[in-house]
Amino acid sequence: MDLRYFNQTGRTAIFNGTETDIGRMVRVEAWDPATGTALVVDPKRRAMRPVTDYEDFSYLEKSDQVVAAVPGGGWRAHWKDEGPGKTPLTEQVLAWPLGEQGPPPGPHRPSGLAAAT
């Protein structure tokens, strides 16, 4: 599961890019209540903006939609070199997001995770 494609609305906006902006994928955060147009965060304006306001908007792509979250249950995530100065880092998992299809397929202990001791 790639969390870049996992959001609340279940859609990602695809932009082709322009001479000054590179192509990109942006999470759809909401829908305009009057028009139904997808809304994304405009980092320059620091506000929601309809995708149709962008000249390089191409299309919407389906992504996994967050429908629930369950407690982390004492799990921890460990990275070998993500701490200060490329040192090891261990963080508590606060919650597991669940998509429309339930938990991700495969082993239920994702790599890099350890149960609390």
Side-chain angles (χ1 to χ4, degrees):
M1 170 188 336
D2 189 336
L3 291 179
R4 289 179 297 175
Y5 306 108
F6 201 66
N7 62 50
Q8 223 171 1
T9 63
R11 295 288 184 271
T12 300
I14 308 299
F15 297 88
N16 291 329
T18 65
E19 290 182 16
T20 58
D21 287 323
I22 61 170
R24 63 211 177 278
M25 298 172 62
V26 181
R27 291 185 313 197
V28 172
E29 301 291 344
W31 307 99
D32 184 293
T35 65
T37 303
L39 300 173
V40 296
V41 173
D42 182 335
K44 293 175 185 171
R45 293 184 184 179
R46 297 183 183 184
M48 300 286 260
R49 188 172 167 193
V51 294
T52 51
D53 282 2
Y54 294 88
E55 65 179 285
D56 64 331
F57 170 67
S58 181
Y59 63 95
L60 296 178
E61 188 174 275
K62 182 157 177 44
S63 57
D64 290 322
Q65 185 174 19
V66 176
V67 295
V70 295
W75 286 85
R76 295 172 296 158
H78 179 76
W79 297 269
K80 293 181 181 180
D81 60 359
E82 294 292 324
K86 299 280 186 185
T87 60
L89 174 67
T90 301
E91 295 280 345
Q92 180 181 356
V93 174
L94 299 177
W96 298 104
L98 298 177
E100 296 168 297
Q101 306 300 316
H108 293 288
R109 179 182 288 185
S111 65
L113 296 176
T117 54

